[in-house]
Amino acid sequence: MSIKLGIIGGGQLAWMMSDAAKKLGVELIIQTPSQNDPAVSIAKDVILSVVNDHYATEVLAKKCDVITFENEFVNLPALSLLEKQNVCFRPSLSALSPLLDKYEQRCYLQSLGLPVPNFFDFIEQENIADKITQLGLPVVIKTRRHGYDGQGTFIISELAQLASTINHNQSRFLVEKFVPFTKELAIIAARSVTGEIVTYPVVETRQKDQVCRTVIAPADISKTQNEEIVAIAHKLLNSLQFIGVLGIELFLTNDGKILINEIAPRTHNSGHFSIEACATSQFEQHLRTVCGLELGKTELNCASAVMVNLLGYETSFDSYQKQRQELAKIPQSTIHWYGKTESRPSRKLGHITVLLSENNQQQIEGIIQQIESIWYP
Ligand code: ADP
């Protein structure tokens, strides 16, 4: 009999689990707010409701063997009542709990002795000018919860910018030192029900205006840096007793140090290359972990791979057929179009991955440029 897996969230990350679900004989049942959400089209059944509605999750639980997450915007205290009634969440709620709030996540990583930028927490009314001066400008201010794709992340280079940032956002914040990184890196790691761990190759990620534009696999880093990042992944997954796939975003500083920026307790944009470039995609791996199956292989099946996000640059209902046809002519390329009905600036509409038989920096830069010049007007 096939496993019935509930997914809280129906965006592109759930949508991309579809092929793997068919392959493994897993039925996907999705809780998501809108009929137009990408994963609705591939779901066996849908509970139309916002992701933090635990009453809807209770209905979902009755239809499923296991429940997993597509995003971290969940209502943990409410879900814990369901866990007490033996609803099986993978990853477990205790594994998610230290990760959902950016400040608490930082504290957790620090308590494990893992490297993070200097940081502190502040509450709106508090006078923080002295603390920021102590930390040293520029700083980065982040809303503690519900930030994504740079929304809720503000780089402050003068104290004068502080008031308007805080006043326009009625949230609690994490303040941290701006890291003058030379590269941003990421790793996708997975841990099974039996505690086995696999990691994907470390990748370089490139952001513009705090939104990921490009991912290059593998990252051009030293063996020691690579080992350090893999060790971070193992320590984190084991400490959390995590079951599932998790993404770790990191900074590489100009003196070669690694600092963790953020943990995403789910499949992640930096792992999309794995669909074509690895025997087991991050999506299949996630299904394998949460369904209690054996883990799959994670090495690259090509010399290198480039993933470029197709980001919205206007408000429109266009399906961009012409650009997609042009992109499809690039050799060894695959386009994933998420089927969103509306384009908005910076919205992730799809992505393209190109596999390469060499690991040649110049060729990689050329392909990124080619894709972006086709995509952006
Ligand atoms: P989100 O959760 O919205 O993706 P992040 O915290 O990952 O937000 O920040 C988005 C981007 O902003 C990062 O990829 C990086 O480019 C930049 N950024 C975030 N924090 C820092 C920092 N402390 N120093 C320098 N750049 C940062």
Side-chain angles (χ1 to χ4, degrees), residues 10 23 68 82 107 130 165 187 206-208 216 222 237 243 294 351 354:
K23 175 176 164 187
T68 191
L82 297 178
C107 294
D130 290 349
T165 307
I187 188 169
R206 293 184 186 168
Q207 275 61 231
K208 189 169 177 221
I216 299 163
S222 73
L237 286 169
I243 298 172
E294 280 199 2
H351 74 264
V354 181

Side-chain angles (χ1 to χ4, degrees), residues 102 142 148-150 153 176-177 179 184 210 261-262:
K102 287 188 191 217
K142 301 179 177 182
Y148 71 102
D149 289 347
T153 296
E176 68 186 27
K177 183 102 183 128
V179 179
E184 288 192 81
Q210 282 111 53
N261 173 28
E262 192 173 33

Side-chain angles (χ1 to χ4, degrees), residues 121-135:
D121 158 49
F122 83 89
I123 306 163
E124 248 180 279
Q125 296 81 0
E126 196 183 337
N127 178 2
I128 60 156
D130 290 349
K131 274 166 124 179
I132 288 188
T133 311
Q134 237 173 19
L135 198 61

Side-chain angles (χ1 to χ4, degrees), residues 149-167:
D149 289 347
Q151 308 213 15
T153 296
F154 311 93
I155 297 169
I156 303 280
S157 40
E158 293 169 35
L159 277 179
Q161 292 168 270
L162 197 61
S164 65
T165 307
I166 297 168
N167 293 341

Side-chain angles (χ1 to χ4, degrees), residues 55-346:
Y55 295 111
T57 306
E58 197 169 356
V59 177
L60 179 71
K62 295 211 167 76
K63 295 172 181 264
C64 300
D65 304 306
V66 181
I67 292 183
T68 191
F69 306 88
E70 189 229 21
N71 62 59
E72 54 276 32
F73 307 138
V74 293
N75 179 350
L76 226 45
L79 293 186
S80 70
L81 300 174
L82 297 178
E83 200 173 52
K84 283 198 188 98
Q85 294 161 27
N86 292 325
V87 173
C88 177
F89 290 103
R90 285 182 180 158
S92 68
L93 304 185
S94 62
L96 289 181
S97 155
L99 303 180
L100 303 190
D101 173 301
K102 287 188 191 217
Y103 174 72
E104 287 170 12
Q105 186 185 103
R106 276 289 148 76
C107 294
Y108 181 73
L109 296 172
Q110 200 173 45
S111 76
L112 296 180
L114 295 176
V116 291
N118 289 336
F119 68 100
F120 64 85
D121 158 49
F122 83 89
I123 306 163
E124 248 180 279
Q125 296 81 0
E126 196 183 337
N127 178 2
I128 60 156
D130 290 349
K131 274 166 124 179
I132 288 188
T133 311
Q134 237 173 19
L135 198 61
L137 285 159
V139 294
V140 183
I141 298 197
K142 301 179 177 182
T143 51
R144 287 177 46 165
R145 281 212 68 183
H146 301 119
Y148 71 102
D149 289 347
Q151 308 213 15
T153 296
F154 311 93
I155 297 169
I156 303 280
S157 40
E158 293 169 35
L159 277 179
Q161 292 168 270
L162 197 61
S164 65
T165 307
I166 297 168
N167 293 341
H168 285 114
N169 292 277
Q170 302 299 316
S171 331
R172 293 187 69 189
F173 296 93
L174 158 71
V175 184
E176 68 186 27
K177 183 102 183 128
F178 178 86
V179 179
F181 54 80
T182 52
K183 270 184 193 153
E184 288 192 81
L185 305 170
I187 188 169
I188 299 289
R191 186 172 174 279
S192 74
V193 170
T194 55
E196 192 196 341
I197 290 175
V198 289
T199 55
Y200 285 83
V202 176
V203 297
E204 177 182 347
T205 68
R206 293 184 186 168
Q207 275 61 231
K208 189 169 177 221
D209 299 330
Q210 282 111 53
V211 182
C212 178
R213 287 281 277 248
T214 308
V215 172
I216 299 163
D220 183 14
I221 52 171
S222 73
K223 190 163 172 269
T224 319
Q225 287 160 345
N226 205 72
E227 284 166 358
E228 197 185 326
I229 293 169
V230 171
I232 288 173
H234 277 253
K235 181 148 195 185
L236 183 63
L237 286 169
N238 282 331
S239 311
L240 292 164
Q241 294 285 292
F242 198 87
I243 298 172
V245 158
L246 165 153
I248 307 175
E249 297 178 87
L250 312 118
F251 298 121
L252 178 62
T253 66
N254 50 12
D255 52 355
K257 282 207 193 87
I258 305 285
L259 296 173
I260 302 175
N261 173 28
E262 192 173 33
I263 312 297
R266 52 170 168 78
T267 57
H268 190 254
N269 196 179
S270 62
H272 291 357
F273 72 94
S274 63
I275 302 175
E276 288 80 27
C278 303
T280 319
S281 76
Q282 63 164 343
F283 301 101
E284 177 175 341
Q285 201 74 272
H286 187 69
L287 296 186
R288 287 182 167 278
T289 56
V290 301
C291 295
L293 305 172
E294 280 199 2
L295 300 186
K297 287 195 177 354
T298 55
E299 38 306 343
L300 285 179
N301 57 23
C302 50
S304 63
V306 181
M307 191 283 319
V308 179
N309 278 328
L310 305 177
L311 300 175
Y313 49 81
E314 61 182 356
T315 302
S316 158
F317 292 96
D318 196 341
S319 62
Y320 301 97
Q321 284 287 355
K322 246 178 142 172
Q323 279 122 305
R324 282 154 61 193
Q325 274 162 10
E326 206 53 38
L327 289 170
K329 292 181 192 157
I330 299 173
Q332 297 295 314
S333 70
T334 311
I335 300 172
H336 297 260
W337 188 250
Y338 308 150
K340 295 180 182 176
T341 46
E342 192 184 346
S343 167
R344 290 192 294 271
S346 297

